Amino acid sequence: MTLTANDIQALIIETIRSPATAAQKLLSLRLPVNFLWMALVLMSVLNSIVYSLAIGINPPVDPQSGMMMVPAAFQSPLLFTLILFAALIVSVFALHRMGQAIGGGRGELGDILTVITWMQLLRLVLQIAVLVLGLVLPVLGGLLALIGSFYGLYVLGVLLKAAHRYTSLSQAFILMLAVFLTVVVGLALILAILSGLFIGGTTL
């Protein structure tokens, strides 16, 4: 099945309104794994560009010290893209393997890759909306980011429940927590190494 721009827009809206229904439609597409990996790379690049624009327009600076409140590695668009993509790769395989161990999940790698790629597309849409709204009404932009983040966790849980054929949403949330801790530990190690290489805020 070929997705048009209108199909994607309709599926985004349906994901927001009825995540469970959208999950079934999304997974039924059976998109090729190679295509999904390329799409995930694209989403990583686009999300990094929007993120870099956001911190460039409104830098998160400590009012007392005047220093950036963002790790030096995250200030480099190239490094941020690489870190984001690395974290997504780890997440995909962890959600796949650990999902099978937790609750007897039956999701295939392609199913999990579909979910994560789709979530990155939703994240991109949210980031753009927050960036635009923040330029006009910063308070509402921040509120949208907060609501979107929490609702995004719920949507991810619903999609993972469908992908792994879980009988309970709680199984998906347990899986998310386990994978989150795994990714955080791995990311912390990567940042520790990169911070040593980029002391002083040097960026690529």
Side-chain angles (χ1 to χ4, degrees):
M1 177 180 178
T2 301
L3 283 176
T4 65
N6 289 336
D7 292 331
I8 294 174
Q9 181 179 351
L11 194 52
I12 289 175
I13 294 174
E14 186 162 19
T15 303
I16 297 172
R17 291 179 175 176
S18 178
T21 303
Q24 297 302 324
K25 291 183 178 180
L26 187 63
L27 294 170
S28 68
L29 295 175
R30 310 301 295 176
L31 298 171
V33 172
N34 289 340
F35 168 79
L36 290 169
W37 280 121
M38 290 188 292
L40 192 60
V41 171
L42 178 61
M43 289 301 103
S44 299
V45 172
L46 294 179
N47 271 294
S48 298
I49 291 174
V50 176
Y51 171 80
S52 298
L53 285 174
I55 64 174
I57 294 173
N58 187 22
V61 178
D62 188 332
Q64 295 183 346
S65 64
M67 296 180 62
M68 286 281 287
M69 298 173 63
V70 176
F74 280 13
Q75 297 175 36
S76 165
L78 176 58
L79 281 176
F80 184 78
T81 300
L82 294 175
I83 292 172
L84 175 60
F85 186 58
L88 291 174
I89 291 175
V90 173
S91 298
V92 168
F93 285 104
L95 287 168
H96 178 227
R97 294 295 185 182
M98 295 174 69
Q100 294 177 337
I102 298 175
R106 291 176 290 156
E108 300 176 0
L109 181 62
D111 296 327
I112 305 304
L113 192 51
T114 297
V115 168
I116 297 303
T117 303
W118 186 249
M119 289 303 300
Q120 287 304 300
L121 175 59
L122 296 179
R123 181 174 182 266
L124 177 63
V125 172
L126 176 63
Q127 278 200 107
I128 294 174
V130 170
L131 179 60
V132 173
L133 186 58
L135 293 175
V136 183
L137 298 169
V139 175
L140 289 182
L143 182 60
L144 176 61
L146 182 63
I147 295 174
S149 297
F150 280 103
Y151 189 64
L153 292 175
Y154 168 72
V155 171
L156 175 59
V158 173
L159 295 183
L160 287 174
K161 177 178 178 290
H164 273 302
R165 288 76 163 173
Y166 285 147
T167 58
S168 170
L169 189 58
S170 62
Q171 293 172 294
F173 286 133
I174 292 173
L175 171 61
M176 289 165 57
L177 179 59
V179 172
F180 172 75
L181 294 175
T182 301
V183 173
V184 165
V185 171
L187 189 58
L189 293 175
I190 294 174
L191 286 177
I193 296 172
L194 292 177
S195 295
L197 296 175
F198 292 89
I199 292 175
T202 303
T203 57
L204 295 180

